[in-house]
Amino acid sequence: MAKTHLPQTLGERISSLNLAERLATLTTGYTPDPPKEFQEPTYYDYPVLQEPLWHWEIYWYFFFGGLAAGCYIIATIASLFASPEDRVITRTGYYLSLLAFLPCPPLLIKDLGKPERFLHMLRIVKVRSPMSMGTWAVVVFSLFCGLSTAIQAARDGILGRWFVPKLLAVLPQGLLALPGMFAGFFLGSYTGVLLAATSIPVWSRSRLLGAIFLSSAVSTSTALITLVLHIFRAPASVLHKLDRLEWAALLLEMTGLLAFLRGSGRAARPLVGTGPKEQGAQFWGLVLGSGLALPWLVKTFSLFGRRSHNNLISLLPSLLVIIGGFFLRRTLVKAGHTSSQDARTTLWHAKR
């Protein structure tokens, strides 16, 4: 038995790689042709672009920022339009938004290297600079996120019964949260716009990254709220509404991702391919497979079959969506490092 186990494992590995290659060709419309591409001119095969300096801090920042923005948007919509029974979504969303946002400033400052660099970025406003506008979005969002969560905490009696909590409790939470919701939309999408504004082919060939990051922020945030409310045994009707929102967000995210791959073509190879330093194995397995398609199918059967939310299996789709949202950002950042080193694709991309 021991002699047959290794060949079977290798055969399964080769089969999965072949499947990933077929999916890459099908979705991007591009088939690698090494002999032909080797004839394309380069400058002595040196990379044309400098490799990005972004590492683990950035994709964690993208992930937590998306969660914070998405939870805030969902909580604000629930506070304005939801029934009294759905107020638990507002409460949970605001608390989760603040908790998810707390790691963002340290991660951003860690990436910048020195805290004063973040402060220097607040000295000016450049409307055409995604970095400048993103910095201001973080600051504005933090103010509204903190205010909305403080109002919610005051109404829940967490801050006590003295003068300040009583004053906070009577403030119009939904009305004050509206500007913060627009800042949340910006925070959820600007990270994708920031990537698309670079010259790196896998990021900039298609202009859909902002929409993809925003839809991913909504899907992962809905999954997180659903997960928490499921643990605390929220009413089934509330969980069913969240399931519908998550189902729609997943469908929108998958559609955006497939459109992004088709629009990127050859440039998407570092993200979907299975070659050295390419992210295809994680992208197809953890992002599009178990992070999007599988949870969407489970949610589809659950919505049409009206299945109960009382079993632990119901937690799995939301958990997979959250993990997939993290690996979406991780694989995109890592694919950018690989893409920047591909001189031929960079020059091909520059001809458009």
Side-chain angles (χ1 to χ4, degrees):
M1 293 296 293
K3 292 181 180 180
T4 61
H5 179 69
L6 183 58
Q8 288 177 355
T9 304
L10 290 175
E12 292 173 358
R13 174 66 174 169
I14 293 172
S15 177
S16 64
L17 291 178
N18 289 337
L19 176 59
E21 286 294 335
R22 294 193 196 101
L23 289 172
T25 300
L26 178 65
T27 54
T28 62
Y30 163 72
T31 302
D33 188 355
K36 181 179 178 180
E37 292 167 12
F38 188 76
Q39 302 301 319
E40 296 176 354
T42 65
Y43 185 75
Y44 301 103
D45 285 336
Y46 287 118
V48 179
L49 303 174
Q50 183 178 0
E51 186 174 354
L53 299 177
W54 293 341
H55 297 290
W56 64 269
E57 301 93 344
I58 283 299
Y59 50 76
W60 277 109
Y61 166 66
F62 287 176
F63 176 65
F64 283 121
L67 282 178
C71 287
Y72 192 90
I73 292 168
I74 295 168
T76 302
I77 293 175
S79 71
L80 292 173
F81 304 107
S83 63
E85 183 185 40
D86 300 328
R87 288 291 181 179
V88 65
I89 299 177
T90 300
R91 179 181 300 110
T92 306
Y94 281 137
Y95 290 146
L96 290 176
S97 177
L98 181 61
L99 289 175
F101 182 77
L102 289 178
C104 291
L107 287 169
L108 185 57
I109 292 172
K110 172 69 168 60
D111 175 71
L112 292 174
K114 297 180 180 179
E116 56 267 26
R117 290 178 180 172
F118 182 81
L119 298 177
H120 289 330
M121 296 177 70
L122 299 178
R123 297 170 58 188
I124 56 174
V125 177
K126 291 184 178 181
V127 179
R128 295 186 177 182
S129 169
M131 182 69 76
S132 176
M133 296 304 296
T135 303
W136 280 102
V138 169
V139 174
V140 173
F141 179 80
S142 67
L143 297 176
F144 284 100
C145 181
L147 176 61
S148 299
T149 307
I151 293 173
Q152 188 61 55
R155 292 180 178 181
D156 293 338
I158 297 176
L159 301 181
R161 299 296 178 184
W162 54 298
F163 172 73
V164 174
K166 289 182 179 180
L167 178 62
L168 287 172
V170 299
L171 293 177
Q173 185 185 49
L175 184 61
L176 291 174
L178 273 176
M181 185 174 69
F182 289 110
F185 276 112
F186 195 94
L187 179 63
S189 61
Y190 103 90
T191 49
V193 176
L194 178 64
L195 296 181
T198 67
S199 299
I200 295 176
V202 70
W203 294 342
S204 58
R205 186 70 182 182
S206 173
R207 299 298 182 183
L208 293 176
L209 273 183
I212 291 171
F213 272 48
L214 181 59
S215 60
S216 177
V218 175
S219 66
T220 52
S221 300
T222 309
L224 179 61
I225 295 173
T226 301
L227 193 65
V228 172
L229 291 183
H230 193 290
I231 294 173
F232 287 96
R233 299 185 179 278
S237 59
V238 175
L239 295 174
H240 186 72
K241 293 175 183 177
L242 287 170
D243 279 346
R244 286 188 292 176
L245 176 60
E246 189 175 346
W247 180 89
L250 287 172
L251 181 60
L252 183 62
E253 185 179 353
M254 283 191 292
T255 303
L257 261 179
L258 293 175
F260 167 78
L261 295 179
R262 176 60 65 169
S264 298
R266 173 179 173 177
R269 182 71 193 178
L271 180 64
V272 299
T274 56
K277 297 185 179 181
E278 293 179 342
Q279 304 298 311
Q282 290 189 6
F283 178 81
W284 296 115
L286 297 176
V287 179
L288 202 57
S290 63
L292 289 172
L294 180 59
W296 183 80
L297 289 173
V298 173
K299 293 290 181 182
T300 301
F301 289 127
S302 175
L303 289 173
F304 286 99
R306 296 282 184 175
R307 293 179 57 187
S308 172
H309 291 85
N310 295 326
N311 54 75
L312 292 176
I313 299 177
S314 301
L315 297 172
L316 184 58
S318 295
L319 184 60
L320 290 175
V321 171
I322 296 171
I323 295 173
F326 167 75
F327 276 98
L328 170 66
R329 290 152 177 83
R330 185 179 187 272
T331 54
L332 272 168
V333 171
K334 286 185 171 294
H337 287 261
T338 305
S339 181
S340 66
Q341 301 302 299
D342 187 349
R344 290 182 172 85
T345 300
T346 302
L347 294 176
W348 166 85
H349 169 59
K351 294 177 182 178
R352 71 169 183 176

